[in-house]
Every structure is written in structure tokens, then in C-alpha cells.
Amino acid sequence: MKTFILFLLLTAACIPVISQQPDFIIPLPDKFTKQDGSFSLDQYTPIVIRESAFRDQANFLQQELLKRNGLTLAVQSQSTVPSIVIDRLPGADNVKGEYKLSITPKEISISARSQEGIFYGVTSLVQLIQQSISKNATALIPCWDIEDKPAFAWRGILLDESRYFFGKETVKFILDWMAFYKLNRFHWHLTDDPGWRLEIKKYPKLGLVGGVGNYFDTLAAAKYYTQEEIKEIIAYAQQRFIEVIPEIDMPGHARGANKAYPQFSGGGSKQYPEFTFNPGREETYKYLTDILKETNALFPSEMIHLGGDEVHFGNEQWNTNKDVQQLMKDKKLANLKAVETYFIERMADSVVRMNNKALFWDEVAGSSFDPANSIIFWWRHDRAEQLKLALSKGFTVVLTPRIPLYFDFVQDTMQRVGRRWKPDGSYSSLQLVYDFSPSRLYDAKHAPLVLGMQGSIWTERISTTDKLEYMMFPRIAGLAEASWTAENKRKDFAGFSRRIEKHLELYRKHRLYFYNPFSPQENPEPIVPGFINR
Ligand code: ACM
């Protein structure tokens, strides 16, 4: 009997308790196979680049390992000892970001057809090293064969700095973590009612006066980015293969700008004063086009997001504004929606003439301009018809439905400061983010039009870095996996949770104020000063 129990215990111990997923990599790679053995990495392991085109990515790896682990690896062109070898894969670069990472006891090989692919291979290796590094800065990295590529080209984060201005160090912090998770689009909501955050040389009061105040304190000192700071942040993002897309919201959400230049205001409503630009004045179009020209000169993304959301919140005074009334007569515009469309189409045209795409929220899905020059952002999760309309008109789209991709929504029922969807109390848990299933939203024939998805950090309820981190982590990791890993390979929330637990260890090491879904009391919810939950 005793022998039998011993036998049972031994067999139980032999059942593999660790899944065969690469323990630490988020997002989960497309293909992976575990191999025997491990590679022993320490400060004498060289990084070998076979092509000078990959020097920047090798330097990035060098910097990351120095910053994170105190390792100082040399970059060289040859080596006779076990090395990290960065090389080009033969063939055409058809899938942007594709790479191979092969780890044997003798060599770590990162190969790709593009710098971007090498960068993602480097990122996966950095993640594996974080898991296996010991106190004396050696890492025994388990051997894997990984072949990886992204499911979606657009893997974004939106940050709203109108409602709360965090400043460039926080933006770089976000870009760092985006890069760690292979996210590649930073949608920067720089203008809205509480404040204007972008220096425009031709209209300096936009920053100096429009930048005064935020959502929590209308008299807070002016805060905005100078053009030099914007350039610095763009360069930082480029090094991480992140494209920075500015949003200049119009014709609504314009109070920040209207504080500075009231002559272009189209008024608002009782609840939303000075909410719009004036679509009835020719000068407004010139003013906004000048602003967009400077914006275009600053941002190399060749895309400007023009907002276009929620105009009906505060366009009441268009009914009595003599310029708008005259415009309606002259252009035979039957109602305020027609005025809005007229405005949007003119501004989109200005942007397209600058050789940029004009990006919009889903209110604009019914417009009739050339879909080849535009991208629609579907955000109203309760209005699936807007997504269908955009796709049926041939627009490319980015998915950022409030539930589950707005990160100002709470992530569990215990949380007090954050949004919930009023009609049904729903919110954005980590699992909902991970399980987000784009393919259920549209017909397969429209799949090529869906560029990807984006997590949106609106800041009416976020005014400290603790709160920002609490709302971002770990949902950013769920977003990364939802946007990178193919949907048919993303059905294992239990496996994802195991990997997330490892990432929580890393968050602790970096002293992040993250939300722990397994033990919510670890970091109590930060209560934002001055915030009144409505
Ligand atoms: C939005 O949330 N108003 C795009």
C-alpha cells in the first residue's frame, strides 16, 4: 500500500505543472516550441550584428539590459563565444514586424526582414531575460524556437492630456511600456475643453492661455508641450517603432482653444459653454488650417486625428449664430448635422491636401469623402451600426469600444473612481480586454479594413501617476495580447493569467502602482484628489 501511495505521489510530481507557453512573453508569440537546455547569459555575452542596418536595435538591447539589469554587453560584428546574433532573414518583408527568435545553448539568434521585426525579437528576448536573471546578473534562458508576427498592424494607446497634463516624463514612461508590449501607435489627445496642450507658433495664446486649467482645477497654471518637446518625444517613440498621432479635436470639444481666441468660437450650450468652433466664418477654416499645417510639420505620422465626436453636446448656439445661419442659407444646409458634415469635409480636405490622412471618431462614419484618405475610430460600443456603416463605405477602422477598451472604466466591482456603463453597469475587466474578439463584430469580407485596436486612457478620473498606473496595468498587457496574438490562438485566459502573475513581479520591481486582479488589496485604489464621482 505504502509503495502504491509513493507511486501515486511520484507520478503526480511528474505531471508537468508548467505550461509549454514561453513563461514570460506577453503578447503570446504566434508559434513557439520548447527545446532542451538553456543559454547562459552574462555581461561577457556579446551582441553580434551581421548587418550595420541593425545597429540601432542592438544598441536598444544594450541600453535595456543596462537599465533593467545592470548588464553591460558589447556590440560587435563577430564573436567566437556564445553570443546574441542579430541577422537578416531572406525574402520579402510582407508581414510588418515578423521575426524569429531561436535560443540554443550555443547561441541566441534574432532574425527578421526589417528593423521593426528585429526590434520585436529584441523585446521578446528582453522579456525572457527579466524572468531568468539572477541577483548576480546571469540569466539561464530556457531554449525556445519562436516564430512570431502581429495579428493587427494598429496596436494603440490613446492618452488624453487635455483633461490632465502629465508631461513628457510620463509620456516616455508610457512609450517604454508600450514598446515592452509591442504596441505601436500613440494617439495623443492634445486638445479638448479643459486645455490646449500644443505650442502653435502662429497662435501663441493657444498654449499660454488655452493651456491654463485642467479637468480638476480650471485655474491650474498653463501646461502645454513646446514644439521642441514634441520633437523629443517623437524621436523617443520612433526609436521604439511607435508612431505618434496628434488629435486636434473639432468642431466640438474646443473650449480650450476658444479661451485663447474667442473670435473663432461658435458658442456652446448651458452645460457645455464655448464648446464649438464657428463653422460659419471663413476665418475659422484659415485659422484651423494654419494650426494643422504646423501640426503636420511637427508630426511625421502623415495622419492627423480631427475628432468630430459629440458635436451635438454643445452646438445649440449655432441655431442663433448669424454666421452659421448665413452659411446654412448660402450652402442650402438643412440642419445642424449638415453644418457639422460641411465643416468636417472641409477640414478633412485641408488635411488631405497636406498629404495626410484625416482620422475621425465614429460620428463621421456617414461622411462621403474618399475612404482611402481617412480612418474611422469606432468607440461607441453600444452602436455597432456605426462600425458596420464605416466598413460598408470602405473606411479603414480602428476599434476602441468603450467596453472593454476605455481604461477610465473600472476593472472590478470594488473600484470606486472610474466609469461604468450606466445602462447595465458594465466595465472593462482584464479578462474582457484579453477576450476582446474583433471578428465577432463584422463580416469576414471586411476584415482587411480593420487595422487594429486601441486602449484609450481618458483622464477625467486620472490625475496622479499612481492612478494612471493603476488604470493601465495590467490591462495594457491584455490589450497587447488582444492586438498582437491571432484570435484563434488567444483562448487561454488561464495561461495568460500565469504569465501576468510573472509580469506583476516585474511591476513590483519597477515600483509601479498596479492593480492586482488576483489580490486587489495589494495596492488599494488611489482616490484622486478633487474628483467627484458623477
Ligand atoms: C469619445 O470618447 N468622445 C471619443
Side-chain angles (χ1 to χ4, degrees), residues 60 63-64 67-68 119 123 126-127 168-183 186 236-237 239-240 242 472-473 476 510:
F60 183 82
Q63 285 161 23
E64 283 293 293
K67 189 173 77 184
R68 291 173 182 275
F119 181 79
T123 304
V126 168
Q127 289 202 358
K168 72 177 179 184
E169 291 315 316
T170 302
V171 168
K172 287 183 180 173
F173 162 87
I174 293 174
L175 294 171
D176 280 341
W177 282 97
M178 285 178 67
F180 188 73
Y181 284 126
K182 303 188 176 80
L183 297 170
F186 182 63
Y236 194 84
Q239 209 193 2
R240 290 159 179 74
I242 298 171
M472 261 178 77
F473 297 94
I476 186 174
H510 284 267

Side-chain angles (χ1 to χ4, degrees), residues 309-310 361 379 406 458:
D309 55 326
E310 298 173 326
W361 296 109
W379 67 280
Y406 271 21
W458 300 100

Side-chain angles (χ1 to χ4, degrees), residues 171-230:
V171 168
K172 287 183 180 173
F173 162 87
I174 293 174
L175 294 171
D176 280 341
W177 282 97
M178 285 178 67
F180 188 73
Y181 284 126
K182 303 188 176 80
L183 297 170
N184 67 348
R185 299 282 187 274
F186 182 63
H187 174 170
W188 210 354
H189 190 77
L190 285 165
T191 75
D192 209 306
D193 297 317
W196 180 282
R197 308 298 180 200
L198 173 63
E199 179 190 30
I200 298 293
K201 304 241 191 230
K202 188 155 186 183
Y203 296 102
K205 284 197 288 182
L206 282 170
L208 295 168
V209 178
V212 172
N214 60 46
Y215 186 81
F216 304 85
D217 173 5
T218 52
L219 296 175
K223 292 269 166 80
Y224 62 95
Y225 289 102
T226 64
Q227 296 199 355
E228 284 312 304
E229 287 170 323
I230 295 278

